[in-house]
Amino acid sequence: MSNPQTTTLYGDVDSALLEIASNIKLLVCDIDGVFSDGRIYLGNDGEELKTFNTKDGFGIKALQRAGVEVAIITGRRSNIVTNRMTSLGVKHMVQGEEDKLPAMKTIMQTCGVDFHQVAYIGDDVPDLPCIQKAALGVAVQDAHPLVSRNANYITFLPGGSGAVRELCDLIMQAKGVTASVVGKSQ
């Protein structure tokens, strides 16, 4: 017997998942392959470029206005990421950290939350420990198969194409605030 389904803006999900999402107070995100499509553009002079989706930016701003803290943990260091996340008002940023679980625990302490209040979204093997510990462990649609197998939610959209916005919308829907959040594109 299957669990009852609830319709979201993106498709049907297990109703129990929305109950978990309703308790989320902290969203922790990987960057490459989640906010971006995972590609890194390098110029002849070593300049690094990444693309970010404004839909994801709006979702982050809306989620913060709905009272959910947002953090990023990434294995790479990049001024581009610092600039983008600062523009979105993300206060908790850990860069250059390959062992992400201790970083997530530190952020959780700072925010005063427990694992049952945390959502984590990632795309590759370094994200697995966080995905397995978070109440809402999320893999983007095009994540590595090991990540997808361990997540309790797989986005309908791939990384860099609105997957973060989808998760933000899911959490806001679960909290009953989707339609009440407005703002400009980010």
Side-chain angles (χ1 to χ4, degrees):
M1 186 173 179
S2 65
N3 292 331
Q5 299 285 297
T6 299
T7 299
T8 71
L9 296 169
Y10 299 86
D12 291 343
V13 300
D14 188 319
S15 296
L17 189 73
L18 282 182
E19 180 62 33
I20 293 168
S22 72
N23 294 313
I24 298 303
K25 293 186 177 179
L26 171 64
L27 170 59
V28 184
C29 308
D30 179 30
I31 295 290
D32 295 319
V34 174
F35 269 100
S36 75
D37 62 8
R39 292 186 276 183
I40 298 170
Y41 300 89
L42 298 174
N44 287 329
D45 297 323
E47 181 182 18
E48 183 177 301
L49 300 172
K50 297 177 191 247
T51 59
F52 295 97
N53 193 312
T54 59
K55 294 174 188 174
D56 293 335
F58 183 87
I60 291 298
K61 296 292 279 186
L63 192 64
Q64 290 170 328
R65 284 192 293 276
V68 176
E69 289 280 344
V70 177
I72 61 108
I73 303 172
T74 179
R76 297 175 50 84
R77 289 187 184 276
S78 169
N79 288 334
I80 297 166
V81 170
T82 301
N83 294 339
R84 179 64 176 147
M85 293 303 120
T86 299
S87 75
L88 296 177
V90 175
K91 296 179 229 154
H92 312 285
M93 291 185 262
V94 178
Q95 295 193 62
E97 182 58 64
E98 293 180 23
D99 191 1
K100 296 181 178 187
L101 187 57
M104 185 169 87
K105 288 178 179 177
T106 300
I107 294 167
M108 290 169 56
Q109 276 186 320
T110 300
C111 294
V113 299
D114 294 319
F115 284 111
H116 74 279
Q117 298 168 310
V118 175
Y120 184 96
I121 183 169
D123 73 310
D124 214 332
V125 175
D127 301 307
L128 270 175
C130 294
I131 286 172
Q132 291 169 329
K133 290 292 262 181
L136 184 54
V138 180
V140 295
Q141 185 239 5
D142 56 340
H144 187 278
L146 286 174
V147 175
S148 297
R149 285 186 204 134
N150 283 275
N152 55 358
Y153 181 69
I154 300 170
T155 62
F156 291 88
L157 298 171
S161 296
V164 173
R165 171 67 181 273
E166 176 185 334
L167 177 56
C168 292
D169 285 342
L170 177 79
I171 294 168
M172 289 187 294
Q173 179 177 344
K175 291 179 174 294
V177 296
T178 304
S180 66
V181 178
V182 295
K184 64 180 180 175
S185 224
Q186 296 292 325

